[in-house]
Amino acid sequence: MTAAETHEPELDQLYADFAAENLNPLWTQLGDLMPMVPTSKAVPSVWKWSTLYPLAQRAGDLVPVGRGGERRAIALANPGLGGVPYVTPTLWAAIQYLGPRETAPEHRHSQNAFRFVVEGEGVWTVVNGDPVAMRRGDFLLTPGWAFHGHHNETDHPMAWIDGLDIPFVNYTDTGFFEFGADGVTDTSTPDVSRSERLWAHPGLRPLVGVDARTSSPIACYRWEHTDAALREQLALEGEGYLATSEPGHAAVRYTNPTTGGDVMPTIRAEFHRLRPGAATRTRRDVGSVVFQVFEGEGRFRLGDQAHDVAKGDMIVVPSWVPWDLETDGGIDLFAFSDAPIVERLHFHRTHISEGA
């Protein structure tokens, strides 16, 4: 009989006593708690817009827009996360659908939120009383604890994507929620919001409110500015100047003009454009990222799986999963990630392959 066999009854009793006292020995689970590399339970996934949008339309026909936190938002549930409505362990993504002449009443919450519009117009989101027009290609902010509601002033429905830090806020037990007005506090429909009139002038900031703000004071980053910045990067590259993040790959990051940093404390947002025939290098990052194809087509490689993607499709890349993208005809993509959390905690790490 070996020494281990001799002590087996005593070991069994030891583990039973641990369990009875709500104790758990590290040596039995070291591999799960401290893996050699990040091993997210979330899995790389693709949601097709051709499936998402018809389902949202059906929800619009059958489900009231609601009075409260539910809106008519359909969350992307990562298949690896056991059915919770999270696209990654830190990020929440959904398609929200507002029917003709509908109003989503106001509320506010601790969670930071944004909207990105892949198609359509005619809806205004009202953020702390400021009406903000929502149009194709626009990136709109709803910082944590800002009252917000939406109203559709057209005879056509509209859908967009929402991104929030709900999983992170829930994990840290830091969430609050409060109902607001039964409708929206301002039903006007200005072309430009007050926040844009004050803050959205390139390279300039007002001398009112000069203190750094946790979230950007700009309610909407308009598509015409994003498009122009990307277009000029590729034009400069074509003229022989260093202007792109890699050959044929233009990219911009939405920033907070009061700090120069990310637009919100927990979410980073970027936009990427690959010219026809371009391809990214393979990379992996600590932290998760979600893409939505704004225009064009391409092929994402996520780990060892390749996925053809087109307008509206949503792609999730969990932490440390290798990915790359190639396109024949060119592709535009919106992206958001949990990078501000990861970087603030000094856990960030990136590996980019040397080859194309």
Side-chain angles (χ1 to χ4, degrees):
M1 182 177 292
T2 66
E5 290 171 331
T6 301
H7 294 292
E8 186 171 328
E10 289 87 346
L11 278 172
D12 290 343
Q13 186 59 52
L14 177 64
Y15 292 137
D17 292 343
F18 283 158
E21 296 299 327
N22 298 307
L23 299 171
N24 217 322
L26 175 62
W27 61 84
T28 64
Q29 52 192 314
L30 182 61
D32 292 332
L33 292 177
M34 297 182 181
M36 300 298 290
V37 299
T39 53
S40 178
K41 292 180 180 178
V43 297
S45 302
V46 174
W47 286 263
K48 307 297 288 184
W49 190 250
S50 58
T51 300
L52 289 174
Y53 190 74
L55 287 170
Q57 286 180 307
R58 289 168 59 191
D61 293 337
L62 298 171
V63 181
V65 70
R67 158 70 278 185
E70 78 282 1
R71 293 290 196 249
R72 192 190 287 114
I74 306 160
L76 279 56
N78 191 289
L81 296 180
V84 296
Y86 301 164
V87 71
T88 80
T90 52
L91 298 173
W92 191 87
I95 176 174
Q96 185 170 164
Y97 185 92
L98 196 64
R101 306 293 171 180
E102 279 192 328
T103 295
E106 291 190 355
H107 63 222
R108 65 178 176 177
H109 40 68
S110 304
Q111 294 84 351
N112 296 285
F114 71 80
R115 331 282 164 201
F116 179 75
V117 185
V118 72
E119 60 185 7
E121 61 179 79
V123 170
W124 273 257
T125 184
V126 182
V127 181
N128 279 341
D130 189 6
V132 189
M134 298 176 65
R135 306 184 187 101
R136 173 169 159 77
D138 291 348
F139 170 62
L140 303 103
L141 297 186
T142 308
W145 212 235
F147 276 115
H148 56 283
H150 323 300
H151 60 107
N152 187 346
E153 294 300 314
T154 75
D155 295 322
H156 307 284
M158 184 172 165
W160 59 87
I161 66 165
D162 292 339
L164 293 90
D165 52 11
I166 289 175
F168 179 74
V169 171
N170 284 0
Y171 179 75
T172 54
D173 293 333
T174 51
F176 292 87
F177 179 91
E178 185 177 320
F179 292 117
D182 287 337
V184 292
T185 51
D186 190 327
T187 58
S188 62
T189 57
D191 287 338
V192 182
S193 66
R194 293 191 296 274
S195 75
E196 293 168 80
R197 292 167 60 193
L198 183 61
W199 286 97
H201 303 284
L204 304 170
R205 61 177 295 179
L207 292 185
V208 59
V210 294
D211 293 340
R213 300 193 183 187
T214 302
S215 294
S216 171
I218 301 175
C220 183
Y221 294 73
R222 296 294 176 188
W223 168 242
E224 54 264 34
H225 305 307
T226 307
D227 182 42
L230 296 163
R231 186 173 61 247
E232 292 301 334
Q233 283 188 23
L234 291 175
L236 286 166
E237 180 190 62
E239 296 164 17
Y241 297 98
L242 180 62
T244 54
S245 58
E246 52 189 338
H249 180 186
V252 294
R253 181 174 299 167
Y254 301 94
T255 60
N256 178 346
T258 74
T259 64
D262 289 296
V263 289
M264 288 186 287
T266 52
I267 296 175
R268 173 167 296 168
E270 298 179 340
F271 204 101
H272 297 257
R273 173 173 292 170
L274 272 65
R275 69 164 76 247
T280 70
R281 291 180 291 174
T282 301
R283 65 180 291 151
R284 48 175 98 208
D285 300 276
V286 172
S288 51
V289 60
V290 180
F291 293 93
Q292 184 175 40
V293 179
F294 181 66
E295 195 63 77
E297 298 179 349
R299 172 164 289 198
F300 256 96
R301 186 170 66 87
L302 303 168
D304 57 1
Q305 298 290 320
H307 303 267
D308 292 324
V309 295
K311 179 181 174 179
D313 293 353
M314 300 187 68
I315 305 99
V316 60
V317 185
S319 185
W320 211 241
V321 169
W323 70 272
D324 57 58
L325 172 64
E326 60 184 12
T327 178
D328 293 330
I331 192 169
D332 283 3
L333 305 107
F334 172 76
F336 70 100
S337 73
D338 57 9
I341 300 172
V342 175
E343 292 178 2
R344 184 65 61 87
L345 297 173
H346 301 285
F347 288 148
H348 54 289
R349 184 181 298 194
T350 296
H351 179 268
I352 302 175
S353 68
E354 296 297 326

